[in-house]
Amino acid sequence: QQQVKQSPQSLIVQKGGISIINCAYENTAFDYFPWYQQFPGKGPALLIAIRPDVSEKKEGRFTISFNKSAKQFSLHIMDSQPGDSATYFCAASDAGGTSYGKLTFGQGTILTVHP
Amino acid sequence: GAVVSQHPSRVICKSGTSVKIECRSLDFQATTMFWYRQFPKQSLMLMATSNEGSKATYEQGVEKDKFLINHASLTLSTLTVTSAHPEDSSFYICSARGRPVTKDTQYFGPGTRLTVL
């Protein structure tokens, strides 16, 4: 019940295209859903996060869509650029619970944007 | 944004030695810090959660006597890998969270690459 399932494992997109990564969760206690970007040999960096009280959040080229009833959320990267090539992780936590906001991570998606 | 640093960034040690990794929150008080390890092309695996001034909570399967965690202050947590062996070679990453500044967000350090010969 603690799992977060992420797909696809890898994604190749042309420059200017839209990259879409999907995640699904089971634990209905999760109330905080961040996305992280990680470059090789670096720590993850927070991209954008959403809470279940909204269905969509947009920051620049990055948009999270959230479907509470389906227990799914997705990351959309508009106008994808070669510099976006990285590994993306979705995550979820019971932020207000007793686990101190412990994150459960998806398996990761390796995004490659071709010029 | 909030900044978390780690030191060292890389360490190579001989089998049987102990290695200490430091994690610091530079511009906020980290009430909770987390330690992860990550193998190549895999996701982050949470090892333990530590709150300032109290004992760390370890995830199932993580040996607390091998991976010693100390969260002595609101800006510093340390992970000591005791009697390291080649199978402990990995990328170790810390993250920190501190209300109210960071709210529910965890900020990650840059990671430490440990190689045990």
Side-chain angles (χ1 to χ4, degrees), chain A residues 83-102:
Chain A
D84 296 330
S85 297
T87 301
Y88 292 80
F89 292 98
C90 64
S93 75
D94 175 13
T98 58
S99 63
Y100 300 101
K102 179 170 73 172

Side-chain angles (χ1 to χ4, degrees), chain A residues 42-102:
Chain A
K42 306 293 184 184
L46 179 70
L47 264 181
I48 187 172
I50 198 168
R51 296 184 189 283
D53 53 344
V54 296
S55 60
E56 187 174 283
K57 183 175 181 180
K58 183 176 180 178
E59 289 183 1
R61 296 186 294 111
F62 301 96
T63 300
I64 300 180
S65 298
F66 186 83
N67 185 329
K68 188 174 180 178
S69 60
K71 291 186 282 187
Q72 295 175 348
F73 58 110
S74 60
L75 175 70
H76 294 232
I77 305 175
M78 312 301 286
D79 187 27
S80 299
Q81 299 296 313
D84 296 330
S85 297
T87 301
Y88 292 80
F89 292 98
C90 64
S93 75
D94 175 13
T98 58
S99 63
Y100 300 101
K102 179 170 73 172

Side-chain angles (χ1 to χ4, degrees), chain A residues 98-113:
Chain A
T98 58
S99 63
Y100 300 101
K102 179 170 73 172
L103 287 171
T104 299
F105 280 89
Q107 295 83 354
T109 296
I110 300 172
L111 171 65
T112 303
V113 181

